[in-house]
mmCIF file of all heavy atoms in Angstrom:
data_model
loop_
_atom_site.group_PDB
_atom_site.id
_atom_site.type_symbol
_atom_site.label_atom_id
_atom_site.label_comp_id
_atom_site.label_asym_id
_atom_site.label_seq_id
_atom_site.Cartn_x
_atom_site.Cartn_y
_atom_site.Cartn_z
ATOM 1 N N GLY D 269 -6.804 69.335 -4.205
ATOM 2 C CA GLY D 269 -6.961 70.718 -4.613
ATOM 3 C C GLY D 269 -5.806 71.195 -5.498
ATOM 4 O O GLY D 269 -5.986 72.059 -6.362
ATOM 5 N N VAL D 270 -4.636 70.612 -5.308
ATOM 6 C CA VAL D 270 -3.461 70.983 -6.093
ATOM 7 C C VAL D 270 -3.728 70.840 -7.588
ATOM 8 O O VAL D 270 -3.271 71.637 -8.389
ATOM 9 C CB VAL D 270 -2.252 70.120 -5.662
ATOM 10 C CG1 VAL D 270 -1.054 70.395 -6.548
ATOM 11 C CG2 VAL D 270 -1.913 70.390 -4.207
ATOM 12 N N VAL D 271 -4.498 69.826 -7.941
ATOM 13 C CA VAL D 271 -4.829 69.663 -9.365
ATOM 14 C C VAL D 271 -6.293 70.023 -9.616
ATOM 15 O O VAL D 271 -6.900 69.557 -10.578
ATOM 16 C CB VAL D 271 -4.528 68.240 -9.885
ATOM 17 C CG1 VAL D 271 -3.036 67.979 -9.872
ATOM 18 C CG2 VAL D 271 -5.281 67.198 -9.077
ATOM 19 N N GLY D 272 -6.850 70.824 -8.750
ATOM 20 C CA GLY D 272 -8.231 71.280 -8.945
ATOM 21 C C GLY D 272 -9.257 70.188 -8.789
ATOM 22 O O GLY D 272 -10.300 70.180 -9.434
ATOM 23 N N GLY D 273 -8.942 69.257 -7.906
ATOM 24 C CA GLY D 273 -9.819 68.100 -7.753
ATOM 25 C C GLY D 273 -11.048 68.361 -6.905
ATOM 26 O O GLY D 273 -12.010 67.612 -6.930
ATOM 27 N N GLY D 274 -11.009 69.445 -6.136
ATOM 28 C CA GLY D 274 -12.144 69.731 -5.263
ATOM 29 C C GLY D 274 -12.186 68.818 -4.063
ATOM 30 O O GLY D 274 -11.176 68.214 -3.679
ATOM 31 N N GLY D 275 -13.364 68.715 -3.458
ATOM 32 C CA GLY D 275 -13.504 67.858 -2.284
ATOM 33 C C GLY D 275 -13.440 68.663 -0.998
ATOM 34 O O GLY D 275 -13.056 69.837 -0.988
ATOM 35 N N LEU D 276 -13.851 68.027 0.084
ATOM 36 C CA LEU D 276 -13.956 68.696 1.386
ATOM 37 C C LEU D 276 -12.610 69.191 1.899
ATOM 38 O O LEU D 276 -12.504 70.299 2.441
ATOM 39 C CB LEU D 276 -14.561 67.730 2.412
ATOM 40 C CG LEU D 276 -16.068 67.547 2.342
ATOM 41 C CD1 LEU D 276 -16.509 66.432 3.272
ATOM 42 C CD2 LEU D 276 -16.765 68.859 2.710
ATOM 43 N N GLY D 277 -11.582 68.372 1.719
ATOM 44 C CA GLY D 277 -10.265 68.750 2.206
ATOM 45 C C GLY D 277 -9.807 70.021 1.511
ATOM 46 O O GLY D 277 -9.273 70.953 2.140
ATOM 47 N N ASP D 278 -10.031 70.084 0.213
ATOM 48 C CA ASP D 278 -9.651 71.249 -0.578
ATOM 49 C C ASP D 278 -10.386 72.479 -0.064
ATOM 50 O O ASP D 278 -9.813 73.569 0.069
ATOM 51 C CB ASP D 278 -10.009 70.980 -2.042
ATOM 52 C CG ASP D 278 -9.539 72.116 -2.942
ATOM 53 O OD1 ASP D 278 -8.524 72.743 -2.593
ATOM 54 O OD2 ASP D 278 -10.213 72.363 -3.960
ATOM 55 N N LEU D 279 -11.656 72.320 0.235
ATOM 56 C CA LEU D 279 -12.484 73.413 0.732
ATOM 57 C C LEU D 279 -11.922 73.932 2.057
ATOM 58 O O LEU D 279 -11.803 75.143 2.266
ATOM 59 C CB LEU D 279 -13.912 72.903 0.939
ATOM 60 C CG LEU D 279 -15.019 73.940 0.933
ATOM 61 C CD1 LEU D 279 -15.116 74.600 -0.437
ATOM 62 C CD2 LEU D 279 -16.343 73.273 1.279
ATOM 63 N N ALA D 280 -11.548 72.992 2.912
ATOM 64 C CA ALA D 280 -11.001 73.381 4.208
ATOM 65 C C ALA D 280 -9.714 74.167 4.036
ATOM 66 O O ALA D 280 -9.483 75.172 4.721
ATOM 67 C CB ALA D 280 -10.750 72.143 5.068
ATOM 68 N N ILE D 281 -8.886 73.710 3.107
ATOM 69 C CA ILE D 281 -7.613 74.403 2.894
ATOM 70 C C ILE D 281 -7.849 75.774 2.237
ATOM 71 O O ILE D 281 -7.349 76.802 2.686
ATOM 72 C CB ILE D 281 -6.666 73.544 2.015
ATOM 73 C CG1 ILE D 281 -6.249 72.284 2.808
ATOM 74 C CG2 ILE D 281 -5.426 74.341 1.619
ATOM 75 C CD1 ILE D 281 -5.548 71.247 1.960
ATOM 76 N N ALA D 282 -8.669 75.791 1.183
ATOM 77 C CA ALA D 282 -8.855 77.007 0.390
ATOM 78 C C ALA D 282 -9.527 78.127 1.201
ATOM 79 O O ALA D 282 -9.070 79.259 1.207
ATOM 80 C CB ALA D 282 -9.659 76.702 -0.859
ATOM 81 N N TYR D 283 -10.607 77.801 1.877
ATOM 82 C CA TYR D 283 -11.334 78.845 2.618
ATOM 83 C C TYR D 283 -10.785 79.002 4.020
ATOM 84 O O TYR D 283 -10.469 80.100 4.455
ATOM 85 C CB TYR D 283 -12.825 78.503 2.701
ATOM 86 C CG TYR D 283 -13.556 78.765 1.424
ATOM 87 C CD1 TYR D 283 -13.463 77.887 0.361
ATOM 88 C CD2 TYR D 283 -14.359 79.921 1.275
ATOM 89 C CE1 TYR D 283 -14.111 78.135 -0.821
ATOM 90 C CE2 TYR D 283 -15.013 80.161 0.090
ATOM 91 C CZ TYR D 283 -14.902 79.274 -0.966
ATOM 92 O OH TYR D 283 -15.551 79.499 -2.124
ATOM 93 N N GLY D 284 -10.686 77.887 4.715
ATOM 94 C CA GLY D 284 -10.346 77.974 6.128
ATOM 95 C C GLY D 284 -8.904 78.358 6.361
ATOM 96 O O GLY D 284 -8.617 79.289 7.110
ATOM 97 N N TYR D 285 -7.993 77.670 5.679
ATOM 98 C CA TYR D 285 -6.578 77.860 5.971
ATOM 99 C C TYR D 285 -6.032 79.089 5.248
ATOM 100 O O TYR D 285 -5.382 79.930 5.851
ATOM 101 C CB TYR D 285 -5.814 76.601 5.573
ATOM 102 C CG TYR D 285 -4.349 76.660 5.888
ATOM 103 C CD1 TYR D 285 -3.911 76.587 7.209
ATOM 104 C CD2 TYR D 285 -3.406 76.801 4.885
ATOM 105 C CE1 TYR D 285 -2.564 76.648 7.499
ATOM 106 C CE2 TYR D 285 -2.064 76.860 5.166
ATOM 107 C CZ TYR D 285 -1.649 76.792 6.472
ATOM 108 O OH TYR D 285 -0.312 76.859 6.770
#
Side-chain angles (χ1 to χ4, degrees):
Chain D
V270 175
V271 293
L276 282 172
D278 184 30
L279 203 64
I281 293 169
Y283 283 78
Y285 183 72

